[in-house]
């Protein structure tokens, strides 16, 4: 199964991807997690990415493409993947299609978790308290949501046009939402 998971920051993508990865046995690829590891390890990519992440901006496309190409080239991706956090704009969506075409692994479904903005601000405030992520403070959250609206939301239409988009109600318990996602895959 080759799945692209879409949805705004705080929509529960990471949580749901972690559950789905066990259900369907393909790796969960989170570009946010990959970047946070790179920052923690102080790699050249991490050093370049950090200031963008701290401001809630997108890390430049060319850096992201290198990262995602390398990850998708790994052997464990043969049975499929759940992509979480990529693509974040139309250029990334097109670049991803090219990479996937080259490795003959085209995306099969784009699942979008739909959650309204008010709920998201609430959830991210809670996450800031629980996990202490530096980009979950109010000002950066507001910027991440603006970036989502302006740059990432159009990605849904891109997948809708390809006939791959399925929108899932992202409000409910973790189990309920996971069931909806699983149903969408059957
Ligand atoms: P996330 O954990 O997916 O919310 O990502 C955290 C931060 O990492 C984002 O606010 C961006 O700064 C950066 N990031 C993650 N994925 C991407 C991507 N596909 N393109 C650009 N920046 C990204």
């Amino acid at each position: 199964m080759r799945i692209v998971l879409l949805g705004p920051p705080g929509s529960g993508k990471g949580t749901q991807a972690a559950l789905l990865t066990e259900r369907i046995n393909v790796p969960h690829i989170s570009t946010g997690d990959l970047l946070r590891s790179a920052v923690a390890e102080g790699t050249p990519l991490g050093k370049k990415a950090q200031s963008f992440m701290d401001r809630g901006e997108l890390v430049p496309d060319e850096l992201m493409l290198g990262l995602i190409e390398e990850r998708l080239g790994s052997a464990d991706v043969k049975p499929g993947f759940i992509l979480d956090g990529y693509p974040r704009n139309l250029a990334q969506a097109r670049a991803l299609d090219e990479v996937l075409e080259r490795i003959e692994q085209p995306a099969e479904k784009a699942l979008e978790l739909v959650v309204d903005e008010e709920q998201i601000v609430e959830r991210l405030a809670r996450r800031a308290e629980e996990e202490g992520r530096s980009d979950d403070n109010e000002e950066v959250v507001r910027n991440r949501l603006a970036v989502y609206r302006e740059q990432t939301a159009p990605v849904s239409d891109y997948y809708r046009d390809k006939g791959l988009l399925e929108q899932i109600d992202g409000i409910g318990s973790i189990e309920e939402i996971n069931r909806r996602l699983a149903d969408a895959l059957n």
Side-chain angles (χ1 to χ4, degrees), residues 16-182:
Q16 292 300 334
L19 291 171
L20 274 186
T21 192
E22 283 173 24
R23 203 185 264 269
I24 62 175
N25 256 313
V26 298
H28 167 205
I29 301 177
S30 156
T31 47
D33 286 349
L34 291 173
L35 287 170
R36 280 183 287 278
S37 299
V39 169
E41 287 164 20
T43 67
L45 168 68
K47 287 193 180 120
K48 288 183 202 147
Q50 180 155 32
S51 64
F52 296 97
M53 296 170 77
D54 286 345
R55 282 179 278 133
E57 301 284 344
L58 295 186
V59 173
D61 290 346
E62 60 276 15
L63 294 178
M64 294 309 299
L65 185 57
L67 179 72
I68 202 74
E69 262 188 308
E70 186 187 333
R71 184 64 190 88
L72 287 171
S74 309
D76 67 330
V77 174
K78 283 262 152 32
F81 51 79
I82 300 168
L83 258 189
D84 159 16
Y86 193 98
R88 282 280 231 283
N89 60 30
L90 287 174
Q92 291 185 6
R94 294 190 193 102
L96 175 65
D97 269 354
E98 279 176 27
V99 173
L100 294 178
E101 220 168 274
R102 217 178 308 136
I103 61 173
E104 298 181 349
Q105 298 246 59
E108 292 170 291
K109 242 184 205 311
L111 301 177
E112 179 183 19
L113 287 174
V114 180
V115 180
D116 67 55
E117 223 174 285
E118 224 167 276
Q119 282 261 347
I120 282 167
V121 173
E122 221 171 88
R123 284 189 193 183
L124 288 176
R126 212 175 318 134
R127 188 167 81 183
E129 271 177 32
E130 286 165 5
E131 295 177 22
R133 250 178 71 168
S134 60
D135 60 351
D136 276 344
N137 76 66
E138 200 184 323
E139 193 187 330
V140 179
V141 162
R142 222 174 288 131
N143 196 32
R144 286 162 64 209
L145 287 173
V147 167
Y148 178 80
R149 239 183 279 119
E150 287 156 23
Q151 300 187 53
T152 311
V155 172
S156 302
D157 293 327
Y158 179 87
Y159 286 107
R160 184 182 286 114
D161 289 347
K162 289 167 76 80
L164 299 182
L165 183 72
E166 186 145 352
Q167 292 181 308
I168 311 282
D169 178 4
I171 305 285
S173 70
I174 290 174
E175 294 74 24
E176 267 167 352
I177 298 164
N178 195 247
R179 158 77 29 218
R180 288 176 202 145
L181 286 168

